[in-house]
Structure formats: C-alpha cells, structure tokens
Amino acid sequence: MTKYHVKELKLRTVAVQGIVSEEMAKTLKAKIMRLLVEKKKYKDKTYSAHRLAMDMGTNSRYVSIVFREQFGMNYATFVSKYRVAEAQTILSSEEYDSLRVEDVGEMVGFCSRQSFYAAFYRFLGLTPREYQQQERKRREMAIRKRENDTNEQ
C-alpha cells in the first residue's frame, strides 16, 4: 500500500475503563450516529471532533474514547469511511457521469484531491478514477447482457 503514502492503522488498546460508563458510551454513540450519519455532518469539511463534542454537550476526550471503543477507529477515519461510501455511490451512478472525480471528492466533504484519493485508496485499494471506470464497464456489460438476452428471445 505504498501508493499515495497510506499507512495502515494499528489498533491500540488503551486503558480507559471507568472514564466513560457503558451506558454513557451507548448514548454518545447514538448521538454520534444521529449527527454525523443521519444529518450527514461528515460532509461538512469544517466539522471537527471538537465541534461534534460541543454539539453533543460533552467533551472531546469522551468523544475520542467512544470512537475508539464503540467504532474501533478515530473520528477522522470514521468520517472518511462515510465520505468514501458516499463517493462510491456517486461514482457508480450514471446520473453523475459528467462530474469530475475531484468534484465528487469535494461534494462528499474532502478538502483536497490528495486526501480524497488517499482515503479512497486506503478503503478500497483503488483510486476514485479506477473505481469509476470499473463501474462504467460493469454498467456497460449489464446493458449488453440485457440486450443479448432480449435478442435471444
């Protein structure tokens, strides 16, 4: 994975028992999901873990612990994961074929082309452009198959 200088995340175990109760962690997790996923705050380039904590009425340390313990990743990785998933949907859609790949990255919340490509590659093992080309070929093959099936009848 040397392409785009992406480093593998190493899971670390940290002794945080007693700082955030299990009940509080579940409550914070639900709030995180509501704000970041349901309200799509992950698309906001300026939305930070600190701002998330403020919106949830808690502190950044608790939010950090909940991300690590409940999601198994940090805030930045979580947000990138949702951005890449949305980019996949857009890049797969014929409706958005006229968009430049860089525009897709911006639409889903990445600040730069480089950060978009690096995150996409880290999660999927291909660049956004490679993924888009792969999806176009897949769609074309599906159309050809339907046409062949129709002609055979």
Side-chain angles (χ1 to χ4, degrees), residues 97-115:
D97 270 351
S98 62
L99 284 178
R100 294 177 330 146
V101 172
E102 291 76 13
D103 295 335
V104 173
E106 193 171 310
M107 281 173 61
V108 299
F110 285 99
C111 292
S112 70
R113 176 188 182 277
Q114 183 179 1
S115 63

mmCIF file of all heavy atoms in Angstrom, residues 97-115:
data_model
loop_
_atom_site.group_PDB
_atom_site.id
_atom_site.type_symbol
_atom_site.label_atom_id
_atom_site.label_comp_id
_atom_site.label_asym_id
_atom_site.label_seq_id
_atom_site.Cartn_x
_atom_site.Cartn_y
_atom_site.Cartn_z
ATOM 1 N N ASP A 97 -22.157 10.844 -14.169
ATOM 2 C CA ASP A 97 -21.026 10.567 -15.058
ATOM 3 C C ASP A 97 -20.324 11.821 -15.565
ATOM 4 O O ASP A 97 -19.141 11.793 -15.868
ATOM 5 C CB ASP A 97 -21.460 9.715 -16.255
ATOM 6 C CG ASP A 97 -21.343 8.221 -15.977
ATOM 7 O OD1 ASP A 97 -20.776 7.854 -14.929
ATOM 8 O OD2 ASP A 97 -21.814 7.440 -16.814
ATOM 9 N N SER A 98 -21.041 12.918 -15.660
ATOM 10 C CA SER A 98 -20.439 14.143 -16.200
ATOM 11 C C SER A 98 -19.567 14.873 -15.175
ATOM 12 O O SER A 98 -18.791 15.760 -15.538
ATOM 13 C CB SER A 98 -21.524 15.093 -16.709
ATOM 14 O OG SER A 98 -22.372 15.475 -15.640
ATOM 15 N N LEU A 99 -19.672 14.494 -13.905
ATOM 16 C CA LEU A 99 -18.860 15.142 -12.864
ATOM 17 C C LEU A 99 -17.407 14.691 -12.928
ATOM 18 O O LEU A 99 -17.119 13.528 -13.210
ATOM 19 C CB LEU A 99 -19.380 14.797 -11.473
ATOM 20 C CG LEU A 99 -20.629 15.484 -10.984
ATOM 21 C CD1 LEU A 99 -20.979 14.960 -9.597
ATOM 22 C CD2 LEU A 99 -20.450 16.986 -10.927
ATOM 23 N N ARG A 100 -16.518 15.611 -12.616
ATOM 24 C CA ARG A 100 -15.116 15.236 -12.475
ATOM 25 C C ARG A 100 -14.950 14.520 -11.129
ATOM 26 O O ARG A 100 -15.669 14.805 -10.181
ATOM 27 C CB ARG A 100 -14.215 16.474 -12.490
ATOM 28 C CG ARG A 100 -14.195 17.217 -13.791
ATOM 29 C CD ARG A 100 -13.353 18.468 -13.764
ATOM 30 N NE ARG A 100 -13.336 19.064 -12.420
ATOM 31 C CZ ARG A 100 -12.286 19.699 -11.897
ATOM 32 N NH1 ARG A 100 -11.187 19.843 -12.580
ATOM 33 N NH2 ARG A 100 -12.344 20.220 -10.694
ATOM 34 N N VAL A 101 -14.009 13.616 -11.073
ATOM 35 C CA VAL A 101 -13.768 12.857 -9.848
ATOM 36 C C VAL A 101 -13.448 13.811 -8.689
ATOM 37 O O VAL A 101 -13.914 13.628 -7.565
ATOM 38 C CB VAL A 101 -12.629 11.826 -10.055
ATOM 39 C CG1 VAL A 101 -12.243 11.169 -8.746
ATOM 40 C CG2 VAL A 101 -13.060 10.770 -11.062
ATOM 41 N N GLU A 102 -12.695 14.858 -8.966
ATOM 42 C CA GLU A 102 -12.333 15.831 -7.937
ATOM 43 C C GLU A 102 -13.574 16.525 -7.374
ATOM 44 O O GLU A 102 -13.643 16.838 -6.188
ATOM 45 C CB GLU A 102 -11.356 16.876 -8.499
ATOM 46 C CG GLU A 102 -9.975 16.326 -8.813
ATOM 47 C CD GLU A 102 -9.904 15.502 -10.097
ATOM 48 O OE1 GLU A 102 -10.855 15.525 -10.918
ATOM 49 O OE2 GLU A 102 -8.885 14.804 -10.279
ATOM 50 N N ASP A 103 -14.565 16.764 -8.244
ATOM 51 C CA ASP A 103 -15.810 17.389 -7.797
ATOM 52 C C ASP A 103 -16.572 16.467 -6.847
ATOM 53 O O ASP A 103 -17.188 16.928 -5.885
ATOM 54 C CB ASP A 103 -16.697 17.751 -8.994
ATOM 55 C CG ASP A 103 -16.075 18.820 -9.873
ATOM 56 O OD1 ASP A 103 -15.256 19.610 -9.373
ATOM 57 O OD2 ASP A 103 -16.414 18.857 -11.081
ATOM 58 N N VAL A 104 -16.512 15.184 -7.111
ATOM 59 C CA VAL A 104 -17.159 14.206 -6.233
ATOM 60 C C VAL A 104 -16.514 14.262 -4.851
ATOM 61 O O VAL A 104 -17.204 14.291 -3.834
ATOM 62 C CB VAL A 104 -17.090 12.777 -6.822
ATOM 63 C CG1 VAL A 104 -17.611 11.750 -5.826
ATOM 64 C CG2 VAL A 104 -17.857 12.705 -8.135
ATOM 65 N N GLY A 105 -15.188 14.295 -4.816
ATOM 66 C CA GLY A 105 -14.480 14.384 -3.541
ATOM 67 C C GLY A 105 -14.896 15.607 -2.754
ATOM 68 O O GLY A 105 -15.117 15.539 -1.535
ATOM 69 N N GLU A 106 -15.037 16.709 -3.437
ATOM 70 C CA GLU A 106 -15.461 17.946 -2.775
ATOM 71 C C GLU A 106 -16.909 17.844 -2.291
ATOM 72 O O GLU A 106 -17.235 18.288 -1.195
ATOM 73 C CB GLU A 106 -15.311 19.128 -3.737
ATOM 74 C CG GLU A 106 -15.419 20.455 -3.043
ATOM 75 C CD GLU A 106 -15.064 21.606 -3.962
ATOM 76 O OE1 GLU A 106 -14.008 21.554 -4.608
ATOM 77 O OE2 GLU A 106 -15.872 22.556 -4.014
ATOM 78 N N MET A 107 -17.766 17.229 -3.095
ATOM 79 C CA MET A 107 -19.184 17.068 -2.723
ATOM 80 C C MET A 107 -19.353 16.289 -1.424
ATOM 81 O O MET A 107 -20.261 16.568 -0.643
ATOM 82 C CB MET A 107 -19.944 16.313 -3.825
ATOM 83 C CG MET A 107 -20.333 17.111 -5.013
ATOM 84 S SD MET A 107 -21.051 16.056 -6.314
ATOM 85 C CE MET A 107 -22.479 15.363 -5.507
ATOM 86 N N VAL A 108 -18.510 15.293 -1.217
ATOM 87 C CA VAL A 108 -18.667 14.439 -0.040
ATOM 88 C C VAL A 108 -17.875 14.930 1.164
ATOM 89 O O VAL A 108 -17.939 14.316 2.228
ATOM 90 C CB VAL A 108 -18.330 12.963 -0.350
ATOM 91 C CG1 VAL A 108 -19.265 12.418 -1.414
ATOM 92 C CG2 VAL A 108 -16.883 12.769 -0.736
ATOM 93 N N GLY A 109 -17.127 16.027 1.004
ATOM 94 C CA GLY A 109 -16.501 16.648 2.168
ATOM 95 C C GLY A 109 -14.993 16.632 2.248
ATOM 96 O O GLY A 109 -14.422 17.107 3.229
ATOM 97 N N PHE A 110 -14.305 16.093 1.247
ATOM 98 C CA PHE A 110 -12.847 16.104 1.310
ATOM 99 C C PHE A 110 -12.327 17.495 0.942
ATOM 100 O O PHE A 110 -12.869 18.156 0.059
ATOM 101 C CB PHE A 110 -12.247 15.049 0.371
ATOM 102 C CG PHE A 110 -12.391 13.651 0.898
ATOM 103 C CD1 PHE A 110 -13.414 12.825 0.455
ATOM 104 C CD2 PHE A 110 -11.525 13.171 1.871
ATOM 105 C CE1 PHE A 110 -13.566 11.543 0.955
ATOM 106 C CE2 PHE A 110 -11.668 11.887 2.377
ATOM 107 C CZ PHE A 110 -12.694 11.075 1.918
ATOM 108 N N CYS A 111 -11.274 17.902 1.630
ATOM 109 C CA CYS A 111 -10.715 19.241 1.430
ATOM 110 C C CYS A 111 -9.820 19.335 0.205
ATOM 111 O O CYS A 111 -9.632 20.417 -0.337
ATOM 112 C CB CYS A 111 -9.919 19.672 2.659
ATOM 113 S SG CYS A 111 -10.965 19.948 4.082
ATOM 114 N N SER A 112 -9.256 18.213 -0.214
ATOM 115 C CA SER A 112 -8.332 18.253 -1.347
ATOM 116 C C SER A 112 -8.435 16.969 -2.160
ATOM 117 O O SER A 112 -8.906 15.940 -1.670
ATOM 118 C CB SER A 112 -6.891 18.424 -0.861
ATOM 119 O OG SER A 112 -6.454 17.237 -0.212
ATOM 120 N N ARG A 113 -7.967 17.049 -3.371
ATOM 121 C CA ARG A 113 -7.927 15.891 -4.259
ATOM 122 C C ARG A 113 -7.059 14.800 -3.629
ATOM 123 O O ARG A 113 -7.405 13.623 -3.631
ATOM 124 C CB ARG A 113 -7.367 16.313 -5.617
ATOM 125 C CG ARG A 113 -7.195 15.179 -6.592
ATOM 126 C CD ARG A 113 -6.447 15.670 -7.851
ATOM 127 N NE ARG A 113 -6.298 14.624 -8.816
ATOM 128 C CZ ARG A 113 -5.337 13.701 -8.812
ATOM 129 N NH1 ARG A 113 -4.425 13.707 -7.869
ATOM 130 N NH2 ARG A 113 -5.282 12.776 -9.736
ATOM 131 N N GLN A 114 -5.921 15.222 -3.075
ATOM 132 C CA GLN A 114 -4.982 14.265 -2.496
ATOM 133 C C GLN A 114 -5.599 13.502 -1.320
ATOM 134 O O GLN A 114 -5.465 12.278 -1.231
ATOM 135 C CB GLN A 114 -3.714 14.980 -2.052
ATOM 136 C CG GLN A 114 -2.657 14.033 -1.512
ATOM 137 C CD GLN A 114 -1.381 14.757 -1.101
ATOM 138 O OE1 GLN A 114 -1.294 15.971 -1.201
ATOM 139 N NE2 GLN A 114 -0.412 14.007 -0.656
ATOM 140 N N SER A 115 -6.295 14.194 -0.438
ATOM 141 C CA SER A 115 -6.891 13.497 0.715
ATOM 142 C C SER A 115 -8.015 12.567 0.256
ATOM 143 O O SER A 115 -8.194 11.478 0.804
ATOM 144 C CB SER A 115 -7.394 14.487 1.764
ATOM 145 O OG SER A 115 -8.418 15.305 1.261
#
